[in-house]
Amino acid sequence: MNNLLNDLKFAIRNLSKSPGFVAVAIITLALGIGLNTAIFSVVNMLLFRPLPYDNADRIVAVFRTDFETARTLRWSYPHFEDYRDELTSFEHFVAWANTDISVGRGDSTQMRRGILVSGDYFEALGAQPTLGRLFNPTDDQTIRGHPVAVLGYDFWQRKLEGDPAIIGQTLALNGHDFTVIGVAEEGFAGVRTVALPDLWVTMMMEPIIRPATPALERRGTMWMDAFGVRKPGVSLEQANAELALVATQLREADPDANDNEHAAAYPLIGIEQDPNDRSEAYALVALIMTMVGLVLLIACANIANLLLARSTTRRKEIGIRLALGSTRGRIVRQLLIESMLIAITGGIVGTLVAVWSMNGLKYILPELPMSATISPNFGLDRNLLLFAFTISTLTGVVFGLVPALQAARTDLIPALKDDGGGSSRYRKSRLRNSLVVGQVAISLVLLIASGLFVRSLVQAGSIDPGFAHEHTLAFKLDLARQQYDEDSGRVFCDQLLARVRDLPSVESACLDHSVPLGWGTTVVSYYVEGDTATFADGTSAYRHIRSNIVSPDDFQTLDIPLLMGRDFNETDILDGPGVVIVNSTFAEMHWPDESPLGKRISIHSVEGPFLEIVGVVKTVIYDSPGESPTPVIHRALSQTWNPILTLLVRSSGDPLSVMTPVRDIMRDLDPNFSPSDTRTLTKLIKFALVPAKLGAGIFSLFGLIALLLASIGLYGVMSYMVSQRTHEIGIRMAIGADKSDVLRLIMKQGLTLTIIGLGIGLVVALGFTRVLASLLYDVSPSDPLTFVAITLLLATVATLATLIPARRAMSVDPMVALRYE
């Protein structure tokens, strides 16, 4: 132990004598380790961070699973009750569901993000109130029986100004008075730790909170999530064994209601999610961590080169220590301790900067098309600290071991004489050259991947969505939450459309349930009349398809071409013949060689009622740029009601100029009416590009850091090589070589390393980028333009990194060089 402490003290003293070297090494490693830590902090938050509760190790997410498809299912409330009443392995078995809620106070009404929860939700998580009290099971026993609410701390502070007298006051939730009984503690988010809810309501109030789709008593409607808290001493395996037993008992008791069903518990870490989605996320995480690991590898190669160069200047010191009896193992240990000090210091700096930077990102996150408060926390926790320490330790070993072993092989006699050590120097030079080649190759791979993502983003931004979005404002409406039934909702919509269309700057207006690249997606089952396809049991086959509900003028407002037939009109009345308009992809899928007009389909049932196809519109992009053509059917709002709609208003000028007049019309029709959200359609569509922008930004950052590190590495090696060959250059110039000969000599060596690295990098990149194919929009993973442009860029940068030391070599004075060393 004393020897180790002495080595540590010596390492600190020795490094303090080279502040320039130490600063460069720490900054280089801070870049590499910091980038890895920053990415892992996101991964940790999403996938690995335990919940911030005292009983987090016993909290599990519980999913139902379909035996045939192996896909997880959400819960209906009757299914949840069946399990809750039978399970004995859990202290708590809790249901919850996200929902939008219209919140009114005084003359102000706005849509906020709430959560419906069973009565023991807060108790299960060990939550404490800031004010008042939280729910208990007695608040959640009678349907519509306890209209009480708990507010989120952030919502209480921002929207209610932290009113300390809020307890006992009422808020109008979807037009019904609810009494505020408590305020949750600051930062409490339940099991979704990124989005902060605005308020919580008990599950028994679901018919009021979700009036459009009440599902509390519907066994076939899967809309909730569930989690459980295992009793102390009950293992995950034991809990799953009981879940399997209960599932079997329920199937035997009622095969029709519980057919093909199973339930399983999973550790609830990170952001609770479907286990199938989690496995897909692991694959993406592996890809990203591989790429960011390559950046760290370049940083390690840089430091290894610096240490190799530094060990040459320490040959005499090492020789003296060997002569005085130090073992080569002790020399290796001493040099590794120095490497570890540099790595750990770089790791600390990089980790602190990474956490600070990532927490700063919350202030520049894109605006989400929802009323949620997003508050990611990338702070330090056990996982992140363990990752940072491990990666720093491994980094110190990776970049320090080979230089330490090389230094320990120093020949004693030549080192004491302080001569050139030619063979040793040659071996070190060959190793340094190999490291440079590796840096160039890895940098090229990362830069090409970055280039592909940037090209993909450009392509995504230039893809024609197939509809017009400029000058259009979108108002999201939820009529059911504002106490409209179908009859009153239709009257409101008709009056709203009529008055909005009369505004002088409005060119067109419509109502749309599922806006392309915007809000809402509905999938229905359908059957084509006369289709002879059948399921395995002999019943008629039906398919699933994206469905939309629109008012007349929807296609005109969005400028979607009508290819054949007609648009919806005033003749399509509620009690009239059912009609439907399909897109061209749907038509080609079923009737590639004939007109679909007059054909009939039914929704949800093979027995009808049947809807006649009266028109065909152009296929547009519905979910994301680069998607395959999606078949869609459009039903008439006059014949099919849905209270969740979007009012689209296209103006002749700035779309925001019609916001106030349209809102005034809404208030004139109903003083308490407020849209859930309002934004331009262009802004709403831009949100669909967020994944592409994030991908391009992240991988571009990887590539730029890799380019910077590779350039520094090549420059450092060439500079060191010039300093080592100063004597040789002097001799060459003394016997007649001119400056251009020296320039060619140095440039040849640097460019040879660059060309070899580029060649290896191109081969690796051609294989590696194929993994990215599914993430790219309309760009080939072997896109020639990207490969050529990035290769030329890296070659240019490498040439400049070589040229600077080469020009310095040209200025060597032969007389000074001959006396060098």
Side-chain angles (χ1 to χ4, degrees):
M1 180 59 70
N2 286 334
N3 286 338
L4 187 61
L5 289 175
N6 289 333
D7 286 345
L8 180 60
K9 294 176 182 178
F10 180 79
I12 294 173
R13 287 198 307 269
N14 200 38
L15 289 174
S16 66
K17 297 176 183 177
S18 306
F21 161 78
V22 172
V24 170
I26 289 175
I27 292 172
T28 300
L29 286 178
L31 278 174
I33 295 175
L35 185 58
N36 274 264
T37 305
I39 298 301
F40 182 78
S41 68
V42 179
V43 173
N44 179 51
M45 181 190 68
L46 297 178
L47 295 178
F48 303 126
R49 177 177 291 169
L51 294 174
Y53 309 121
D54 293 339
N55 59 348
D57 59 327
R58 295 189 285 119
I59 300 176
V60 291
V62 184
F63 291 93
R64 296 167 58 238
T65 307
D66 186 282
F67 274 135
E68 292 184 355
T69 64
R71 294 296 297 181
T72 53
L73 305 171
R74 302 183 79 188
W75 294 81
S76 70
Y77 193 76
H79 277 104
F80 167 76
E81 285 186 306
D82 290 344
Y83 279 84
R84 182 189 61 189
D85 294 343
E86 297 295 331
L87 292 172
T88 61
S89 298
F90 295 92
E91 283 183 343
H92 301 279
F93 189 55
V94 182
W96 65 280
N98 285 318
T99 183
D100 287 330
I101 303 176
S102 171
V103 180
R105 192 186 190 206
D107 296 331
S108 173
T109 302
Q110 56 188 239
M111 295 300 295
R112 305 306 307 175
R113 179 55 57 93
I115 301 184
L116 283 161
V117 298
S118 51
D120 56 345
Y121 177 88
F122 291 103
E123 181 183 349
L125 298 176
Q128 299 298 320
T130 296
L131 289 178
R133 70 173 180 88
L134 305 177
F135 297 143
N136 59 54
T138 61
D139 296 314
D140 190 41
Q141 293 181 343
T142 308
I143 296 178
R144 297 173 177 260
H146 288 77
V148 293
V150 171
L151 304 182
Y153 183 91
D154 188 68
F155 176 73
W156 173 59
Q157 287 289 327
R158 290 187 300 107
K159 299 300 181 180
L160 302 177
E161 299 177 345
D163 182 3
I166 192 65
I167 304 302
Q169 295 186 25
T170 60
L171 296 177
L173 304 187
N174 292 351
H176 295 262
D177 285 342
F178 278 66
T179 302
V180 177
I181 63 170
V183 176
E185 58 191 321
E186 184 176 5
F188 180 80
V191 293
R192 286 278 172 88
T193 54
V194 173
L196 297 177
D198 293 316
L199 69 164
W200 290 265
V201 179
T202 58
M203 193 63 71
M204 289 295 103
M205 304 307 294
E206 185 267 348
I208 292 175
I209 300 302
R210 301 173 72 247
T213 55
L216 199 61
E217 299 177 281
R218 296 178 183 175
R219 182 173 292 275
T221 303
M222 315 302 176
W223 60 284
M224 305 187 317
D225 292 292
F227 71 88
V229 181
R230 291 181 282 115
K231 290 181 178 178
V234 174
S235 68
L236 182 63
E237 291 75 18
Q238 290 171 320
N240 273 321
E242 186 185 25
L243 284 167
L245 177 62
V246 171
T248 300
Q249 293 171 342
L250 291 175
R251 284 197 305 272
E252 292 174 350
D254 190 349
D256 293 334
N258 301 286
D259 190 29
N260 293 329
E261 184 179 316
H262 179 58
Y266 303 85
L268 213 168
I269 53 176
I271 294 181
E272 183 268 344
Q273 58 187 292
D274 187 319
N276 293 307
D277 295 337
R278 183 174 285 269
S279 62
E280 294 171 2
Y282 287 150
L284 182 59
V285 165
L287 171 64
I288 294 176
M289 292 305 294
T290 296
M291 294 192 69
V292 76
L294 293 176
V295 174
L296 181 58
L297 194 57
I298 296 173
C300 288
N302 263 354
I303 305 304
N305 262 328
L306 286 174
L307 289 175
L308 284 170
R310 191 166 182 263
S311 67
T312 303
T313 64
R314 300 179 64 183
R315 292 178 65 252
K316 188 170 184 178
E317 170 205 330
I318 293 171
I320 292 173
R321 295 182 66 187
L322 290 171
L324 292 175
S326 180
T327 64
R328 295 185 186 274
R330 180 74 180 272
I331 298 295
V332 171
R333 186 176 74 181
Q334 174 65 56
L335 296 177
L336 273 179
I337 288 175
E338 294 182 15
S339 301
M340 293 297 296
L341 280 174
I342 294 172
I344 291 174
T345 305
I348 293 173
V349 174
T351 299
L352 293 177
V353 172
V355 171
W356 174 79
S357 301
M358 295 307 296
N359 277 313
L361 285 180
K362 67 178 70 174
Y363 301 106
I364 59 173
L365 286 172
E367 183 182 358
L368 302 179
M370 61 185 73
S371 57
T373 302
I374 304 300
S375 182
N377 179 12
F378 301 104
L380 295 172
D381 67 1
R382 183 178 59 187
N383 289 341
L384 191 62
L385 288 173
L386 180 61
F387 175 83
F389 176 77
T390 301
I391 199 171
S392 298
T393 303
L394 289 176
T395 297
V397 173
V398 167
F399 75 71
L401 185 59
V402 173
L405 291 174
Q406 287 276 19
R409 292 181 193 153
T410 298
D411 295 331
L412 181 58
I413 302 303
L416 292 176
K417 292 181 178 179
D418 200 22
D419 67 12
S423 63
S424 175
R425 182 175 298 177
Y426 175 74
R427 287 195 302 270
K428 293 175 184 177
S429 177
R430 187 166 58 187
L431 177 59
R432 284 195 297 271
N433 291 344
S434 299
L435 291 172
V436 170
V437 168
Q439 285 179 289
V440 172
I442 295 172
S443 298
L444 182 65
V445 173
L446 291 175
L447 282 167
I448 287 176
S450 304
L452 289 173
F453 273 99
V454 172
R455 285 265 291 149
S456 175
L457 178 60
V458 172
Q459 290 294 103
S462 63
I463 288 176
D464 179 12
F467 59 92
H469 52 85
E470 299 85 358
H471 308 296
T472 303
L473 199 61
F475 298 81
K476 187 179 181 183
L477 314 178
D478 192 334
L479 295 163
R481 282 191 170 85
Q482 304 199 55
Q483 304 308 301
Y484 285 85
D485 58 19
E486 180 174 345
D487 292 336
S488 60
R490 289 188 181 280
V491 172
F492 179 86
C493 288
D494 289 343
Q495 294 176 341
L496 177 63
L497 276 178
R499 293 185 58 177
V500 168
R501 287 168 178 165
D502 285 340
L503 291 174
S505 58
V506 171
E507 294 183 344
S508 181
C510 68
L511 288 165
D512 190 316
H513 170 63
S514 181
V515 181
L517 290 176
W519 291 306
T521 299
T522 299
V523 176
V524 299
S525 58
Y526 74 99
Y527 171 75
V528 177
E529 186 179 31
D531 193 348
T532 58
T534 59
F535 289 126
D537 61 3
T539 59
S540 299
Y542 57 86
R543 301 172 177 86
H544 292 88
I545 193 170
R546 180 171 180 141
S547 170
N548 195 8
I549 300 171
V550 302
S551 68
D553 293 340
D554 181 83
F555 306 119
Q556 175 187 342
T557 302
L558 292 174
D559 198 20
I560 299 176
L562 183 68
L563 302 180
M564 62 176 70
R566 68 171 177 85
D567 197 350
F568 297 124
N569 57 43
E570 63 279 358
T571 65
D572 302 318
I573 60 176
L574 182 60
D575 297 326
V579 294
V580 65
I581 294 174
V582 302
N583 70 351
S584 57
T585 300
F586 182 91
E588 292 165 3
M589 182 171 68
H590 289 287
W591 304 282
D593 300 319
E594 56 181 312
S595 170
L597 299 181
K599 307 295 185 184
R600 302 202 308 169
I601 64 173
S602 65
I603 306 298
H604 298 310
S605 172
V606 298
E607 298 176 355
F610 285 92
L611 311 175
E612 180 184 351
I613 297 175
V614 297
V616 178
V617 295
K618 177 184 175 182
T619 297
V620 302
I621 294 175
Y622 295 98
D623 292 315
S624 64
E627 70 182 11
S628 300
T630 303
V632 175
I633 61 174
H634 301 272
R635 291 180 284 171
L637 179 61
S638 58
Q639 296 184 334
T640 304
W641 176 247
N642 193 305
I644 300 175
L645 297 165
T646 297
L647 172 66
L648 298 175
V649 182
R650 192 173 74 190
S651 67
S652 56
D654 181 4
L656 294 177
S657 65
V658 301
M659 180 186 293
T660 300
V662 172
R663 284 181 174 269
D664 288 343
I665 290 173
M666 291 179 183
R667 293 192 188 96
D668 189 42
L669 293 173
D670 182 348
N672 295 318
F673 192 89
S674 176
S676 308
D677 202 343
T678 304
R679 66 189 69 210
T680 64
L681 189 54
T682 298
K683 190 172 184 179
L684 189 61
I685 290 171
K686 283 182 178 179
F687 184 75
L689 295 178
V690 167
K693 290 180 179 179
L694 288 176
I698 290 172
F699 285 102
S700 295
L701 177 63
F702 294 170
L704 289 175
I705 293 179
L707 179 63
L708 174 64
L709 292 175
S711 303
I712 293 173
L714 185 59
Y715 170 79
V717 166
M718 297 311 299
S719 294
Y720 178 75
M721 185 269 292
V722 167
S723 68
Q724 291 296 299
R725 300 183 68 175
T726 299
H727 189 70
E728 173 197 341
I729 292 170
I731 294 174
R732 288 175 178 270
M733 297 182 73
I735 61 176
D738 57 25
K739 293 184 176 181
S740 61
D741 294 325
V742 174
L743 180 64
R744 280 194 296 271
L745 174 69
I746 305 302
M747 291 297 294
K748 178 182 177 182
Q749 183 169 355
L751 293 181
T752 298
L753 298 177
T754 300
I755 292 171
I756 295 173
L758 292 175
I760 295 172
L762 282 172
V763 173
V764 175
L766 282 169
F768 177 76
T769 53
R770 295 185 183 278
V771 180
L772 308 177
S774 62
L775 304 175
L776 302 174
Y777 296 127
D778 201 27
V779 175
S780 167
S782 56
D783 177 53
L785 178 61
T786 303
F787 272 70
V788 171
I790 294 300
T791 302
L792 290 176
L793 171 65
L794 185 53
T796 301
V797 172
T799 300
L800 291 175
T802 305
L803 182 61
I804 296 173
R807 288 181 63 84
R808 190 165 64 245
M810 292 168 56
S811 62
V812 169
D813 185 335
M815 296 304 296
V816 174
L818 290 174
R819 293 195 298 269
Y820 190 77
E821 295 183 339

